[in-house]
């Protein structure tokens, strides 16, 4: 009789978030989907998110961009898309 045990292992996820033109997105929220573990991107669009359970999804959000949810990987390069629906609702007051 063989008994096999497995535990969900946590990993560190690192990556870069860019806009449709390829420029870094500063201050985008990167979060384990459905969890409380989150971080924001730095001046170069880079992020590091620790203690991500293996097999989890990561959500990336930023104002004016569509939220993107992808499978967590050790190294990630994320390209966000403009949310034109949201841009139509912007009101400028001067």
């Amino acid at each position: 009789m063989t008994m096999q045990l497995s535990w969900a292992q946590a990993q560190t996820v690192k990556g870069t978030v860019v806009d449709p033109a390829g420029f870094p997105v500063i201050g985008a929220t990167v979060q384990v989907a459905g969890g409380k573990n989150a971080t924001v991107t730095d001046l170069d669009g880079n992020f590091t998110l620790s203690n991500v359970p293996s097999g989890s999804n990561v959500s990336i959000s930023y104002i004016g961009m569509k939220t993107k949810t992808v499978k967590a990987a050790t190294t990630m390069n994320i390209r966000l898309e403009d949310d034109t629906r949201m841009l139509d609702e912007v009101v400028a007051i001067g």
Side-chain angles (χ1 to χ4, degrees), residues 16-20 22-29 40-46 60-63 65 78 80:
T16 304
V17 179
V18 296
D19 67 11
F23 293 106
V25 177
I26 302 166
T29 302
V40 294
T41 55
D42 64 13
L43 294 173
D44 297 318
N46 298 319
I60 302 91
S61 60
Y62 188 74
I63 295 173
M65 305 276 188
I78 310 296
L80 296 179

Side-chain angles (χ1 to χ4, degrees), residues 49-65:
L49 189 59
S50 301
N51 297 321
V52 178
S54 184
S56 294
N57 289 328
V58 175
S59 289
I60 302 91
S61 60
Y62 188 74
I63 295 173
M65 305 276 188

Side-chain angles (χ1 to χ4, degrees), residues 38-93:
T39 189
V40 294
T41 55
D42 64 13
L43 294 173
D44 297 318
N46 298 319
F47 68 89
T48 301
L49 189 59
S50 301
N51 297 321
V52 178
S54 184
S56 294
N57 289 328
V58 175
S59 289
I60 302 91
S61 60
Y62 188 74
I63 295 173
M65 305 276 188
K66 292 180 181 177
T67 298
K68 190 168 197 172
T69 302
V70 294
K71 191 75 146 173
T74 306
T75 304
M76 303 175 72
N77 294 308
I78 310 296
R79 183 178 297 266
L80 296 179
E81 298 176 21
D82 289 327
D83 188 354
T84 55
R85 178 180 47 91
M86 183 173 242
L87 293 176
D88 288 340
E89 298 174 11
V90 173
V91 177
I93 299 173

